Amino acid sequence: MSTTFTAENATEALILEQALAYARQLARTATDAPDGQVLRLAEACVLEQGRELLRRSLAIVLQAQAEGGEKKGPRAAPAGAARDAPTRADPTTNW
């Protein structure tokens, strides 16, 4: 069976590649497992490789977002206070 997926951007493409590698590893693990060990080994693969897939996906998305922020330029600077405006609370005031 052959199915085609279309990624809308590089981030999706990387995550799709990672997910495909994960699915193939899980299938190989189940196929290669000795009789009576399929469930145990497949579960171990899901836990280990599934977590790794999630970590990689998160890293890919965060990296893409960080790069997108860099393209937008630096964040706007905070607005300054007026020179004669007090910037601290009155110490004699009891809140």
Side-chain angles (χ1 to χ4, degrees):
M1 177 179 164
S2 179
T3 303
T4 302
F5 295 97
T6 303
E8 293 183 7
N9 54 53
T11 300
E12 288 182 0
L14 287 170
I15 291 172
L16 284 169
E17 288 174 10
Q18 294 294 319
L20 183 57
Y22 164 71
R24 289 177 177 165
Q25 177 63 41
L26 179 57
R28 269 193 310 273
T29 298
T31 300
D32 296 345
D35 289 343
Q37 297 295 313
V38 175
L39 180 59
R40 183 182 68 76
L41 293 174
E43 283 179 337
C45 180
V46 166
L47 291 175
E48 183 180 328
Q49 299 299 318
R51 285 184 183 130
E52 185 60 26
L53 172 64
L54 294 175
R55 278 192 286 274
R56 287 180 184 162
S57 297
L58 178 60
I60 290 167
V61 169
L62 294 178
Q63 182 63 37
Q65 185 172 1
E67 290 170 0
E70 291 171 1
K71 291 178 185 175
K72 293 178 186 175
R75 292 184 184 260
R83 292 194 182 268
D84 59 344
T87 57
R88 296 187 180 179
D90 182 355
T92 60
T93 304
N94 293 328
W95 296 97

